[in-house]
Amino acid sequence: MLPRGRPRALGAAALLLLLLLLGFLLFGGDLGCERREPGGRAGAPGCFPGPLMPRVPPDGRLRRAAALDGDPGAGPGDHNRSDCGPQPPPPPKCELLHVAIVCAGHNSSRDVITLVKSMLFYRKNPLHLHLVTDAVARNILETLFHTWMVPAVRVSFYHADQLKPQVSWIPNKHYSGLYGLMKLVLPSALPAELARVIVLDTDVTFASDISELWALFAHFSDTQAIGLVENQSDWYLGNLWKNHRPWPALGRGFNTGVILLRLDRLRQAGWEQMWRLTARRELLSLPATSLADQDIFNAVIKEHPGLVQRLPCVWNVQLSDHTLAERCYSEASDLKVIHWNSPKKLRVKNKHVEFFRNFYLTFLEYDGNLLRRELFVCPSQPPPGAEQLQQALAQLDEEDPCFEFRQQQLTVHRVHVTFLPHEPPPPRPHDVTLVAQLSMDRTWPTMWCTVRGPYTPSTSFATWPWPRPSRLTSSSVTLTSCLPILSTTTSGRPGPASTAAPPVVVPTRRIRASIEQLGLGSRRKAALVVPAFETLRYRFSFPHSKVELLALLDAGTLYTFRYHEWPRGHAPTDYARWREAQAPYRVQWAANYEPYVVVPRDCPRYDPRFVGFGWNKVAHIVELDAQARQARQPLLLCPTLQEYELLVLPEAFTIHLPHAPSLDISRFRSSPTYRDCLQALKDEFHQDLSRHHGAAALKYLPALQQPQSPARG
């Protein structure tokens, strides 16, 4: 027999368990999920909550809440979560995740880099990027990924021009043009053996590991082939303005900024014929698509709802002009992907836009070099050249006082060519392009409208203090009105081609005339010296002719470059002769000569060991002169070398503008170690010069042993 009182305790325990079970069923159990019907078709497919967007309480505060007001399925169990049961298992650690992006033009190329940086920051799996690009974007991105050298990232390119005929018959009012329709043809454009892919717009930013998104493929039923987040606006309800007539959609419709595609199932279902028939039918009554591929995707889903799998709203938080995204996010930890799907992008009106903008700018300005990290648990083929680079870096001694110099010599910078949109100038004989490396705090906008010809500035993103690239590209009139800018940007510290400040060269048409007059070409090569001057005035009207410049020189407004501090750097130019010169004249090399020169593009490159401040231009002129001496000595057989004459141009000139001292010149002036390292590099340079040019290199030995003045600016 049971002791007295035990039956009462058992009864109370049973009652408590019953109450807990009822509470679970009412507030957190299966009633929060619509049951899956055969074939996977239900009001809300699978075990996802129906609307997947929480209700905003009357006080407007952000909380965890239920679904959109008035939507079917709203209830206490419809929480903002990925599912109602166990989370899908993450993909295997080393499973290759496939991502497809359509990218065309300069602006999209910049956007896609910010997107990729956010993916790389959080990712734990190898990635294969499938990029559908035009010629401009391919040139930019091929160079960038080749120099980025990110482990466990593969990139494949697909020609957008080859896909245009498949969508060019569709009238489209969206600002993306034909490229905004190309996601429709991805099942046929991507490799036939590729079964699953994540498709992204270029204007999304990840706030989570992309493998979590890939894991949602596990929720697909046997018939579902497209995973989408519900559209977070009333666009497809047709009530935004009078006579607003959107394309047909299922409920609020879906946004196609983030898509999970089962390519194998779409091919089996006859996707190409399916979307084409739907589009042609709707275009009989609608003039064009307003939201590009999104309209056609929604029209197909309206007709075939069993294709779609609803994704949690946090995987596509949409910041459009009429967004209801606030009903989705409740706290920052909920965010997975932020989508700037308004034409206004970062300028969109939203009371939380500062939070989202700062998140985006974090990755915009993030140093991409820091993402060159290995996935240690996932062995992968290193990028071309990466293994040799790592071996060379491993041989460096970190205790060496000059370690930083030697490390920079080996660094491969991330290169983004043609960062700014431009129209290439028509090619002309003997064209001259100004190339300079500079920092963004210098007064280079004042130069853009002074240069007469193409200009190729190079700057460093990692040390970009002002202004931000987004402000430059969106608000600068100078960039679009003055001249074509063929810009190159690098990631990391300024390289060996850096100049003291952005120069102003006027005018390049006279340089072209001199090249033609001198008959320069494959048989005769020269380094054309551009005489350098400087002003100490921050407000300065640039002379547009030699006559105007000489008047300023005589008035004391201009000086020959570094006349007071380092005259030997430009003295061989012979300014007294230049005043009267009517034609180019030849000058001889002298120790520490470092003029600005115009050279053919196949000339010797700058020596990469001289980074920061000191001896980059000097070493380059030494190399040019050494080649000239070797070419004049027939006993030293080197048929590829040709004589580089130093010829001073009589009409062109460059003007140095005042600016704050750079970090490297400050270190040169204050640090004996810095100067000692520079001298060590000069000695190594002469040793290499001797190996290449033999006895001819003895000429330069006294110059290499001369100390440089720390007062030099």
Side-chain angles (χ1 to χ4, degrees), residues 527 529 568-573 585-595 597 615-629 632 644-648 682 685-686 689 696-706:
V529 176
R568 70 181 68 179
H570 291 264
T573 299
Y585 58 91
R586 186 168 184 169
V587 295
Q588 298 298 319
W589 175 88
N592 295 302
Y593 191 30
E594 51 176 358
V597 293
W615 248 73
N616 42 45
K617 295 194 297 296
V618 175
H620 191 233
I621 298 301
V622 166
E623 185 65 38
L624 291 175
D625 187 71
Q627 288 203 11
R629 285 178 57 82
R632 290 194 294 268
Y644 279 89
E645 304 172 83
L646 292 174
L647 299 175
V648 180
K682 290 163 62 177
F685 171 77
H686 186 259
L689 204 66
L698 293 174
K699 168 186 175 181
Y700 309 103
L701 185 59
L704 291 162
Q705 294 174 344
Q706 293 180 8

Side-chain angles (χ1 to χ4, degrees), residues 319-358:
L319 302 180
S320 62
D321 292 328
H322 306 284
T323 184
L324 301 174
E326 187 179 342
R327 302 184 182 186
C328 172
Y329 58 81
S330 58
E331 56 188 39
S333 61
D334 282 339
L335 300 179
K336 302 291 187 181
V337 174
I338 300 167
H339 186 189
W340 299 88
N341 62 322
S342 166
K344 300 174 184 175
K345 302 306 177 188
L346 299 186
R347 298 188 301 273
V348 69
K349 299 296 183 183
N350 182 295
K351 66 181 181 180
H352 301 117
V353 71
E354 195 64 25
F355 167 81
F356 295 112
R357 186 185 293 125
N358 289 337

Side-chain angles (χ1 to χ4, degrees), residues 36 39-48 50 52 216 219-231 249-251 253-256 258-262 265-266 271 274 297-312:
R36 192 190 302 249
R41 298 187 59 177
C47 194
F48 285 102
L52 283 170
L216 298 182
H219 284 297
F220 281 40
S221 70
D222 293 339
T223 60
Q224 290 169 341
I226 306 172
L228 292 167
V229 171
E230 189 176 48
N231 199 47
L250 190 65
F254 297 91
N255 183 277
T256 56
V258 177
I259 317 175
L260 300 185
L261 288 185
R262 285 296 304 260
R265 295 178 183 177
L266 289 174
W271 169 252
M274 188 184 301
F297 268 102
N298 274 288
V300 172
I301 290 170
K302 172 78 170 178
E303 189 174 353
H304 305 277
L307 285 175
V308 71
Q309 163 71 306
R310 294 175 185 261
L311 303 181

